[in-house]
């Protein structure tokens, strides 16, 4: 409201487009997270570790648990519980992926067959439930009611966001605001919770909690928007994601929303036949990308991501300059630079 | 081990085969549970209350939340949190039903179309996730880490039990013990948690907690076994459950396990073609029921249920005689008398 943001931020964007600092700073703790993941995904019921390990070893960056670890250390946290909360966050994320693949009927994730393609939808649903249960047990074990509140609320909000997305599926009339509400719930809420529980267990101030919550929320929004832009061919190769996957699944992401809204009558007809009518062959994808270029839909999706990235950066601005803060700021640049 | 149980218990069984006392005692609190259910299943995302209300209004007995309410009142609990925990328990149960129907590919539940048949598997998975998230939020709101521990552990155990069942699906060689491990996890664990959180929030003693935990666990085992017997035609009509549903779905329940283990070679061939080969027409069902009768498989399934019912009753034996205790004992009789 009335705030003028510098959307270009030429000096910061891409200045340190790497998560190397975050990876280094959290390496010893991430080793413990990885051990805890393996231990808590263990079960005498063999199918459970099999499926869990499939997902866990599938090359995700583990961005969310690293954010939790750094956000706790940033406020001088000295205990053990940040490792448990980081693992809980990763389990919540993994459970969501398992259920998402069932809901989206996805065959591939990060270039590998999805769990549901190997073990079936049934096992994916149930192992997702198991991992969510294990996530809650670890949080309870930590014993912070504030952290429990933040993460259990996130679990509800994520599911609500997924239902919202399902209900709005293939609706080309979705407004940008409605779309932001969906990605805020389904993606950004977990980043926000992952960041906020750090200061919470470090007994940091209310302002510090609010800062990290806002950082996580806006980072999550930027992350998702860049992901959606990449699907229509950002210039950097994102391992395992193929150009046009979202298009072929008829997903209404921001590049589609912008191209549809800015399009001519004939172009809107094209989008309807593609998204609602599932006419999404290679020729259609080529036309879609041409229309996005014509209307600046990808550039402006990236612009929106920069906007949220800027808010995430300012959320941390008043905080003391520490290596952990610098590493968290790099994450914003990293997310956005994926398309640069 | 070495304990002789009187499996007949002719004086107690069916003596008060009704949950009327439990319903009466918990009526004012259940009214608040029902209100809380409607409020916490609410969402601006219309699909969520639609699906939740479909399940919630579908004529379940709400046995589990009534057990929680009575178990709290039994120890003099005077606060408000038993209503929240009872609602959490019902939400966990409802979430499980939504996911179960997807996993089992069920078309009907209690004589009505399942949610997945009306709204699709996708919405059933996601709304189940939402209800589970809401259940956890309510528990966190109660603020008892002990209750959170019990219920979050139950959530993991239930999911683990479901995966176990999936992995053992159509395996006629399943032993009785393996089968008990499955139903203990998938059904009895929630009854056990529902009963134990009562004394927990009432700050009752460790012994009282253990008594209610054991009561719930054994009640749950008896409940599931009777349910499995009813599927092959107990004499009382159980609303919405049709004789032979489990058989047609190829489920390996205790009546099948006993008839298979006690059968001749030719009979085992029949069971293999029926359960593994899906040859489950009406003639096959008739033969299956004949073989169960021949080998006493239904009578002995009921006998096993009585065994667990007896343990549940003895779990409460040392406790003071109160109306709430009497009502909880009636529940055991009620569960078993469904087939008498």
């Amino acid at each position: 409201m009335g705030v003028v943001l510098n959307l270009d931020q030429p000096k910061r964007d891409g200045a340190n487009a790497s998560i190397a600092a975050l990876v280094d700073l959290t390496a010893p703790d991430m080793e413990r997270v990885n051990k805890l993941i393996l231990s808590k995904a263990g079960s005498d019921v063999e199918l459970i570790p099999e499926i869990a390990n499939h997902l866990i070893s599938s090359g995700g960056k583990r961005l969310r648990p690293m954010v939790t670890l750094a956000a706790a250390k940033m406020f001088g946290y000295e205990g053990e519980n940040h490792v448990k909360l980081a693992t809980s966050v990763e389990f919540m994320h993994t459970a969501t992926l398992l259920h998402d693949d069932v809901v989206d009927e996805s065959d591939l994730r990060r270039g590998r067959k999805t769990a549901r393609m190997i073990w079936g939808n049934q096992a994916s649903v149930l192992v997702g439930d198991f991992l969510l249960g294990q996530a809650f047990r670890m949080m309870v074990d930590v014993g912070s009611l504030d952290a429990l509140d933040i993460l259990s609320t996130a679990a509800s909000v994520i599911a609500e966001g997924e239902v919202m997305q399902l209900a709005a599926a293939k609706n080309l009339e979705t407004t940008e605001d409605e779309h932001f509400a969906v990605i805020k719930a389904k993606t950004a809420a977990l980043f926000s919770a992952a960041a906020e529980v750090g200061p919470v267990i470090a007994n940091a101030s209310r302002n510090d909690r609010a800062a990290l919550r806002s950082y996580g929320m806006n980072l999550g929004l930027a992350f998702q928007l860049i992901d959606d832009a990449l699907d229509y061919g950002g210039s950097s190769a994102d391992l395992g994601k193929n150009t046009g996957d979202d298009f072929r699944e008829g997903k209404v992401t921001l590049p589609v929303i912008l191209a549809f809204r800015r399009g001519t009558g004939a172009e809107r007809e094209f989008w309807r036949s593609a998204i609602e009518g599932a006419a999404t062959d290679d020729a259609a994808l080529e036309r879609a990308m041409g229309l996005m270029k014509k209307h600046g839909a990808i550039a402006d999706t990236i612009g929106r991501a920069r906007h949220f990235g800027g808010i995430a950066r300012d959320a941390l601005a008043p905080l003391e300059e520490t290596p952990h803060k610098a590493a968290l700021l790099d994450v914003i640049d990293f997310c956005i630079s994926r398309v640069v």
Side-chain angles (χ1 to χ4, degrees), chain A:
Chain A
M1 307 289 274
V3 177
V4 179
L5 283 160
N6 175 4
L7 295 185
D8 293 318
Q9 291 158 335
K11 280 180 197 116
R12 291 301 307 254
D13 268 19
N16 197 346
S18 154
I19 52 171
L22 184 67
V23 169
D24 284 352
L25 277 171
T26 60
D29 283 339
M30 277 306 291
E31 201 171 306
R32 295 160 66 212
V33 167
N34 288 333
K35 276 189 190 144
L36 195 56
I37 285 175
L38 288 176
S39 137
K40 296 292 177 181
S43 165
D44 292 340
V45 185
E46 286 172 29
L47 203 50
I48 291 176
E50 251 177 68
I51 294 180
N53 292 340
H54 174 79
L55 260 135
I56 289 161
S57 67
S58 70
K61 288 179 291 291
R62 306 261 164 97
L63 206 47
R64 295 161 190 81
M66 286 195 293
V67 165
T68 298
L69 295 173
K73 286 291 184 189
M74 182 173 171
F75 296 99
Y77 182 70
E78 292 287 355
E80 296 290 317
N81 285 330
H82 62 321
V83 171
K84 288 179 192 162
L85 289 179
T87 307
S88 294
V89 164
E90 185 67 5
F91 271 23
M92 284 176 66
H93 175 57
T94 308
T96 307
L97 295 186
L98 278 166
H99 287 186
D100 268 5
D101 286 341
V102 171
V103 168
D104 293 346
E105 299 175 345
S106 305
D107 302 342
L108 293 176
R109 177 173 289 281
R110 296 192 197 113
R112 295 172 73 191
K113 272 191 183 175
T114 54
R116 74 173 206 100
M117 290 301 288
I118 306 176
W119 293 280
N121 281 336
Q122 304 167 315
S124 291
V125 170
L126 297 176
V127 172
D129 289 350
F130 175 76
L131 293 178
L132 201 58
Q134 292 292 80
F136 277 105
R137 289 179 74 181
M138 277 184 279
M139 292 172 214
V140 172
D141 195 32
V142 167
S144 158
L145 284 169
D146 279 351
L148 271 161
D149 182 27
I150 291 162
L151 288 164
S152 63
T153 300
S156 272
V157 168
I158 292 165
E160 202 171 18
E162 302 270 3
V163 181
M164 215 188 299
Q165 186 176 42
L166 185 66
K170 303 200 185 296
N171 178 11
L172 283 161
E173 311 283 345
T174 304
T175 65
E176 209 171 324
D177 279 332
E178 286 167 343
H179 183 66
F180 287 153
V182 168
I183 65 175
K184 191 171 172 177
K186 84 179 180 93
T187 305
L190 187 56
F191 274 98
S192 179
E196 188 180 359
V197 294
V200 163
I201 55 167
N203 288 315
S205 72
R206 178 176 282 273
N207 283 342
D208 291 336
R209 276 181 58 164
L212 270 286
R213 178 169 62 234
S214 173
Y215 161 82
M217 184 65 80
N218 287 286
L219 174 68
L221 288 167
F223 179 88
Q224 184 64 61
L225 290 172
I226 295 297
D227 218 51
D228 294 342
L230 275 174
D231 206 77
Y232 290 96
S235 63
S236 89
D238 191 41
L239 198 67
K241 187 146 190 181
N242 301 312
T243 299
D245 277 352
D246 288 346
F247 183 72
R248 277 181 289 271
E249 290 177 26
K251 286 193 181 165
V252 178
T253 57
L254 190 59
V256 174
I257 290 171
L258 293 178
F260 176 80
R261 299 188 86 79
R262 296 171 182 180
T264 64
E267 287 169 11
R268 286 201 198 126
E269 266 322 298
F270 161 75
W271 286 110
R272 284 202 188 89
S273 77
I275 300 293
E276 297 167 7
T280 55
D281 59 12
D282 286 354
L285 176 60
E286 203 170 321
R287 177 150 189 221
M289 290 172 68
L291 293 179
M292 286 175 180
K293 195 173 172 72
K294 173 183 170 193
H295 294 293
I298 298 294
D300 285 352
T301 295
I302 297 168
R304 306 297 201 251
R306 277 185 212 279
H307 161 88
F308 293 115
I311 298 174
R313 185 172 295 115
D314 280 323
L316 299 190
L319 303 176
E320 193 190 340
E321 303 297 334
T322 64
H324 287 97
K325 173 177 164 179
L328 289 177
L329 290 174
D330 286 352
V331 175
I332 307 171
D333 295 334
F334 167 76
C335 284
I336 292 173
S337 70
R338 292 192 295 161
V339 285
V340 171

